[in-house]
Amino acid sequence: MTRYIFAISFLFLFTISNAQEKKRARDYSIEIGVMARGNLNAITDVPGVKVGHQTLVKGENIRTGVTAILPHSGNIFQDKVPAAIYIGNGFGKLAGISQVQELGNLETPIILTNTLSVPMGIQGTVKYTLALEGNENVQSVNAVVGETNDGYLNDIRGMHVSESDVITAIENARTGIVPEGNVGAGTGTVAFGFKGGIGTSSRKLPESLGGYTVGVLVQTNFGGVLTINGAPVGKELEQYPFANAIKKSDGSCMIVVLTDAPLDARQLERVAKRAMMGLAKTGGTASNGSGDYVIAASTAESMRIPYQTREKFDTGDVLRNDHMSSIFMATIEATEEAIINSLFMAETTNGREGHTIQKLPMEKVLPILKKYGVIK
């Protein structure tokens, strides 16, 4: 009986220990910014938004995947959404950027994957789109596919992502809780010298400011001096670029910002620019070798752009510029927290050629956060 009780107690403590290993920023009472979070504190707090992952972990060398973000549940090609893309630093391979900049709309799910799998991202997204009911006569599809380079942990040259993986990620997309950390396109990424990954967060504006929701999802794979809500964590841990002549700070970050506020492409570019301010608050430096892109879109039904219509004029009411500042602030806060969540939810990973990237050492981070008054 004693042995049985001990086993149950050990199992209980082990379960609690594991649960404590993966907590988001808010679970540690870290209050990033001043605005209210959405119910799930995720990009899926924006009504209708879905996220899907396809995670590829095989053998010792494959650590990669695909993440798909759908701005609404319908046929996105037939009901396009206003969109904009902002380049923080252009060392990247973002597909589909020119048409978004030219026409100001998005007509496919947003796909994130690794650098050398962008072609498969395009192919899978195009095949998925052409197969949708109503698209039988479509002959041109502008797939938007972003990437970061996971080649330290993943056999990126093997190009293991297939078009079926991309389609699976899209078809698996769901509303609700978004898995974070080592999943999908974040499976093999590294951020601030620690294991990075997928992270998400949201902000809900008060009704007096429109009641809109801003949701952010990030794929973190970049460097800098990690700062958590103002605390110089990277400096305290002595984990930062140029601490010696070898350690550098290259890498990339993909940021997706969705909102149900009725914004046009011009306004969405303004929103996208603010997301880079959220990245900067975490200590990111947009270094020379970093591809830092922000894709922003409005999911408001009144702003949808039909593929075929006889109407000559757009009829949606657009939010006035004077009412944009609260959305800017929400974007900055949600981006900052999404990046921190990607680190908090990631796990130590072994990968290509025996490389290992450690998760953020919370046993060291928490005392630093207490020292600087971030948590009690």
Side-chain angles (χ1 to χ4, degrees):
M1 177 62 74
T2 302
R3 180 180 300 175
Y4 177 77
I5 293 173
F6 174 78
I8 293 295
S9 300
F10 178 80
L11 179 61
F12 175 77
L13 291 173
F14 178 79
T15 302
I16 293 297
S17 175
N18 274 355
Q20 289 175 341
E21 287 180 359
K22 294 183 66 176
K23 289 184 177 181
R24 308 177 81 199
R26 69 175 179 179
D27 297 323
Y28 290 104
S29 299
I30 300 172
E31 296 295 331
I32 294 176
V34 298
M35 305 188 83
R37 299 178 175 98
N39 290 333
L40 298 174
N41 192 26
I43 196 169
T44 48
D45 284 321
V46 180
V49 172
K50 294 182 177 181
V51 175
H53 298 299
Q54 176 73 338
T55 301
L56 302 180
V57 176
K58 299 178 183 178
E60 297 180 355
N61 295 323
I62 301 175
R63 304 288 185 271
T64 193
V66 181
T67 295
I69 304 98
L70 282 61
H72 65 75
S73 300
N75 185 330
I76 303 170
F77 187 90
Q78 294 292 330
D79 288 303
K80 309 176 198 298
V81 297
I85 295 173
Y86 179 70
I87 304 172
N89 192 70
F91 200 129
K93 288 77 186 169
L94 176 63
I97 184 172
S98 63
Q99 183 170 309
V100 174
Q101 291 178 330
E102 184 70 20
L103 301 183
N105 60 50
L106 179 74
E107 63 186 28
T108 69
I110 299 165
I111 302 299
L112 306 178
T113 187
N114 72 62
T115 306
L116 297 187
S117 294
V118 169
M120 281 298 121
I122 298 171
Q123 192 164 319
T125 304
V126 170
K127 179 170 278 192
Y128 165 82
T129 301
L130 293 178
L132 291 177
E133 184 179 355
N135 293 352
E136 292 80 6
N137 296 320
V138 171
Q139 295 184 351
S140 174
V141 177
N142 185 53
V144 173
V145 183
E147 54 78 29
T148 71
N149 193 310
D150 57 15
Y152 186 77
L153 289 172
N154 175 52
D155 173 29
I156 193 169
R157 287 173 58 89
M159 294 186 283
H160 300 284
V161 172
S162 67
E163 69 174 39
S164 64
D165 291 321
V166 178
I167 295 171
T168 297
I170 297 172
E171 293 180 340
N172 283 345
R174 298 290 184 272
T175 59
I177 295 172
V178 177
E180 296 171 282
N182 300 31
V183 293
T187 302
T189 62
V190 182
F192 296 105
F194 302 103
K195 184 65 187 72
I198 297 296
T200 189
S201 184
S202 69
R203 292 296 184 271
K204 175 74 172 176
L205 274 60
E207 292 302 321
S208 60
L209 295 175
Y212 304 115
T213 300
V214 176
V216 175
L217 183 142
V218 297
Q219 176 193 19
T220 60
N221 192 50
F222 64 99
V225 185
L226 176 60
T227 303
I228 299 178
N229 212 20
V233 173
K235 182 178 179 180
E236 291 278 349
L237 294 176
E238 297 184 349
Q239 177 70 42
Y240 53 88
F242 311 114
N244 56 51
I246 300 174
K247 197 182 295 181
K248 295 184 179 180
S249 183
D250 286 338
S252 301
C253 187
M254 290 298 310
I255 304 172
V256 177
V257 183
L258 298 181
T259 181
D260 58 354
L263 307 180
D264 62 18
R266 179 187 60 79
Q267 293 170 316
L268 287 163
E269 183 176 5
R270 300 184 71 202
V271 170
K273 292 176 181 178
R274 271 62 179 189
M276 287 300 297
M277 297 172 71
L279 182 146
K281 291 185 71 175
T282 68
T285 55
S287 62
N288 175 69
S290 190
D292 304 303
Y293 296 88
V294 186
I295 303 169
S298 170
T299 68
E301 289 191 30
S302 63
M303 299 299 295
R304 301 276 168 85
I305 304 153
Y307 173 50
Q308 292 181 328
T309 179
R310 295 182 179 180
E311 298 294 332
K312 291 184 177 181
F313 303 100
D314 291 330
T315 58
D317 291 328
V318 178
L319 197 67
R320 290 186 180 276
N321 289 326
D322 288 344
H323 296 281
M324 292 290 295
S325 293
S326 58
I327 295 175
F328 295 159
M329 188 171 177
T331 301
I332 294 168
E333 290 187 9
T335 302
E336 180 181 4
E337 185 164 349
I339 291 170
I340 300 304
N341 282 338
S342 77
L343 289 160
F344 280 22
M345 295 297 285
E347 299 175 332
T348 298
T349 301
N350 301 316
R352 183 180 67 86
E353 296 182 355
H355 293 163
T356 298
I357 294 295
Q358 298 292 328
K359 66 181 180 181
L360 193 67
M362 296 307 298
E363 71 280 2
K364 296 180 180 179
V365 170
L366 293 178
I368 296 171
L369 298 182
K370 289 181 180 180
K371 173 181 175 181
Y372 286 91
V374 174
I375 59 175
K376 296 181 179 179

